[in-house]
């Protein structure tokens, strides 16, 4: 998929993945790949600045928690209220966009 | 061996530009990622070395992390109306043994070899207070500087966020102090002693601001514990108790010239820089057989010289690159050195390359391309802060 598209929607993808339960980096990556059949695949290093960006923007909050494997602590991210709102808004905008494009394509 | 070096190198590079607690947090997050990935691959039957390589490859280039993070967390080093932020424009005067100003000192923290050995790790933000270095940046105690400059007629305003210097009959220079990054919190929430200490500021941040004023002269003289002179005021970097060596001080200067004048024009982004002299001291894995000492005879007068040479980015000296994959755009060795009374310079150069002394790097720099320069005494880029030199003779030692 084109890189430009991913960059624009990276936030939306991450917010959507965090919608249900708090997750840490590797879980988020696995979910992004799993739920989209590998369509959303990205260089893993780029995940963390994106998560930190969402944190700074107030859409997610993060905290460390012990790892079940006894390794270094994991940093878990969860949506904030602002994040929930942002997700809903972005989703609405996306669906509107999709609807409009779909209508264009269907019209012959 | 390579496993520790590769992971550590990645973590260091990926957190470059971050400070204190934020640096530790990002590092911990990445460590957790790597640790779990590697474990998963090992459980799947992979050997440790391969598992680490694969996990690192999947993470991608460390700059993808550091650049993204730096945009979020790094603050500018110089602020001031109408002042454009330029690369470090510090110039170095020829060696002077005396200055007519009072020898004054600002307390300064730098890792001495004893300090590094005692803490058992490369200097990071959370080390004891007399080991304080961030990415080759020099940090000065702002209150000590204030005490030093005020008697010389320099107006000093030292607020929580800014250090402002007003020179007699001259302009005002303001530098942003990275106090937020230096207030280090321990993981248990307690505050490290550095929080209660006077604020620190980046020397280079200040000197950048000074150098961008064309009517402010600035020179640096001396080797160990060098003296900085701005207009008619001077201060010494380093004290008897906390020595700043010439190697450490002038390497920052050489690096600034290197980047601004030679590297940036090539649009390279992933650059390895090693300094044999320091590697010998601090890096137990340093491969001493990969460098050799040579003497360069130079025609010019005594002074401080800088040299950088392109090395094989897959070779033993660019040791942080994982095997089998070229990760560096360019790898360089750097050296700064004073000329001896007989006009010779002793430097360490890679054993493998034939040196070719050039005035600029080629578009696709090859191992052996070498730039030798004399760090000159003029204060800004337009007046020439370095001079390219060709050695008269090279003698193998």
């Amino acid at each position: 998929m084109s890189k430009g598209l991913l960059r624009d929607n990276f936030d939306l993808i991450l917010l959507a993945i965090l919608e249900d339960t708090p997750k840490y980096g590797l879980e988020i990556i696995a979910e992004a790949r799993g739920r989209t059949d590998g369509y959303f695949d990205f260089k893993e290093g780029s995940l963390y600045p994106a998560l930190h960006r969402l944190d700074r923007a107030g859409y997610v909050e993060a905290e460390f928690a012990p790892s079940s494997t006894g390794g270094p602590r994991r940093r878990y991210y969860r949506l904030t209220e602002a994040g929930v709102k942002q997700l809903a808004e972005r989703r609405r905008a996306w669906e509107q966009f999709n609807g409009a494009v779909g209508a264009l394509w269907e019209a012959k | 061996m390579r496993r520790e070096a590769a992971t550590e190198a990645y973590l260091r590079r990926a957190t470059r530009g971050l400070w204190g607690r934020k640096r530790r947090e990002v590092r911990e997050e990445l460590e957790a990622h790597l640790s779990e990935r590697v474990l998963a691959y090992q459980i799947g039957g992979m050997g440790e070395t391969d598992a680490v390589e694969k996990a690192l490859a999947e993470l991608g280039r460390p700059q993808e992390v550091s650049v993204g993070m730096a945009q979020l967390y790094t603050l500018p080093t110089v602020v001031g109306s109408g002042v454009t932020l330029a690369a470090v424009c510090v110039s170095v005067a020829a060696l002077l043994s005396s200055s007519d100003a009072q020898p004054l000192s600002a307390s300064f923290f730098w890792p001495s070899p004893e300090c590094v050995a005692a803490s058992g790790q490369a200097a990071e933000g959370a080390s004891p207070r007399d080991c304080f270095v961030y990415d080759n940046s020099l940090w000065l105690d702002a209150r000590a500087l204030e005490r030093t400059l005020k008697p010389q007629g320099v107006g000093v305003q030292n607020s929580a966020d800014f250090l402002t210097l007003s020179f007699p009959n001259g302009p005002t220079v303001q530098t942003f102090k990275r106090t937020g990054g230096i207030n280090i919190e321990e993981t248990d929430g307690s505050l490290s002693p550095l929080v209660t200490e006077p604020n620190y500021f980046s020397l280079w941040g200040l000197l950048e601001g000074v150098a961008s004023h064309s009517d402010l002269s600035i020179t640096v003289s001396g080797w160990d514990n060098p003296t900085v002179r701005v207009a008619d005021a001077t201060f010494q970097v380093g004290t008897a108790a906390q020595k700043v060596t010439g190697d450490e001080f002038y390497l920052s200067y050489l690096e600034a010239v290197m980047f601004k004048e030679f590297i940036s024009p090539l649009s390279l982004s992933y650059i390895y820089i090693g300094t044999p002299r320091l590697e010998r001291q601090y890096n137990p894995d340093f491969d001493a057989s990969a460098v050799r000492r040579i003497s360069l005879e130079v025609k010019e007068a005594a002074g401080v010289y800088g040299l950088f040479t392109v090395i094989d980015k897959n070779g033993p000296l660019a040791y942080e690159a994982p095997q089998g994959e070229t990760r560096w755009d360019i790898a360089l060795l750097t050296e700064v050195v004073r000329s001896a009374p007989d006009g010779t310079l002793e430097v360490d150069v890679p054993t493998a390359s034939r040196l070719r002394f050039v005035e600029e790097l080629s578009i696709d720099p090859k191992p052996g391309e070498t730039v030798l320069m004399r760090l000159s005494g003029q204060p800004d880029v337009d007046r020439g802060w370095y001079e390219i030199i060709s050695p008269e003779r090279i003698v193998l030692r």
Side-chain angles (χ1 to χ4, degrees), chain B residues 247-259:
Chain B
D247 280 326
E248 291 155 347
F249 186 85
Y250 293 114
L251 272 172
S252 301
Y253 174 55
L254 171 64
E255 205 167 289
V257 174
M258 212 167 71
F259 274 97

Side-chain angles (χ1 to χ4, degrees), chain B residues 90-105:
Chain B
V90 176
S91 292
V92 174
L95 286 180
L96 300 174
S97 53
S98 68
S99 125
D100 52 353
Q102 302 171 44
L104 300 150
S105 62

Side-chain angles (χ1 to χ4, degrees), chain B residues 3 35 37-49 51-52:
Chain B
R3 179 216 173 212
S35 162
R37 266 276 191 264
V38 167
L39 184 64
Y41 285 137
Q42 285 181 290
I43 289 170
M46 217 181 265
E48 190 184 22
T49 312
V52 169

Side-chain angles (χ1 to χ4, degrees), chain B residues 27-67:
Chain B
R27 195 193 156 97
E28 189 169 3
E29 193 169 17
L30 292 171
E31 265 184 298
H33 176 119
L34 278 167
S35 162
E36 284 194 36
R37 266 276 191 264
V38 167
L39 184 64
Y41 285 137
Q42 285 181 290
I43 289 170
M46 217 181 265
E48 190 184 22
T49 312
D50 289 340
V52 169
E53 267 186 40
K54 190 165 158 70
L56 285 174
E58 280 170 345
L59 269 172
R61 292 178 157 196
Q63 299 103 309
E64 286 186 23
V65 177
S66 65
V67 170

Side-chain angles (χ1 to χ4, degrees), chain B residues 151-357:
Chain B
Q152 300 182 67
V154 180
V156 179
Q157 266 178 290
N158 190 8
S159 74
D161 292 320
F162 295 102
L163 177 70
T164 309
L165 306 180
S166 309
F167 292 89
N169 309 314
T172 294
V173 177
Q174 190 176 53
T175 189
F176 189 96
K177 292 172 4 187
R178 298 192 194 197
T179 55
I182 299 170
N183 291 339
I184 296 169
E185 289 177 40
E186 306 299 333
T187 48
D188 65 356
S190 64
L191 300 177
S192 84
L194 275 172
V195 172
T196 58
E197 289 296 315
N199 291 326
Y200 294 93
F201 70 96
S202 160
L203 173 63
W204 300 113
L206 174 65
L207 296 179
E208 272 178 53
V210 171
S212 62
H213 285 274
S214 59
D215 48 348
L216 263 185
S217 66
I218 176 169
T219 57
V220 179
S221 56
W223 182 250
D224 293 333
N225 287 2
T227 299
V228 175
R229 185 187 198 95
V230 181
D232 291 322
T234 69
F235 61 92
Q236 187 176 311
V237 179
T239 63
Q242 300 272 347
K243 193 166 108 166
V244 175
T245 67
D247 280 326
E248 291 155 347
F249 186 85
Y250 293 114
L251 272 172
S252 301
Y253 174 55
L254 171 64
E255 205 167 289
V257 174
M258 212 167 71
F259 274 97
K260 184 165 174 64
E261 307 281 352
F262 296 90
I263 304 294
S264 294
L266 299 178
S267 300
L268 301 171
S269 47
Y270 201 35
I271 299 152
Y272 172 86
I273 300 174
T275 303
R277 215 175 290 264
L278 293 182
E279 300 266 355
R280 280 186 208 279
Q281 271 182 286
Y282 295 125
N283 179 10
D285 292 331
F286 179 64
D287 182 358
S289 69
V291 297
R292 64 177 166 196
R293 180 137 311 170
I294 63 172
S295 265
L296 303 172
E297 287 181 14
V298 293
K299 203 171 29 173
E300 284 74 14
V304 177
Y305 291 80
L307 176 146
F308 66 90
T309 184
V310 180
I311 61 173
D312 177 5
K313 52 196 173 187
N314 292 315
L317 288 170
Y319 70 95
E320 295 176 6
Q323 281 175 319
E325 191 184 332
T326 303
R327 291 166 74 86
W328 305 109
D329 293 330
I330 189 171
L332 300 160
L333 241 54
T334 57
E335 274 273 27
V336 285
V337 62
R338 291 174 288 180
S339 62
D342 63 355
T344 59
L345 314 171
E346 285 214 357
V347 293
D348 283 328
V349 295
T351 317
S353 326
R354 259 181 85 91
L355 300 186
R356 283 188 321 287
F357 287 87

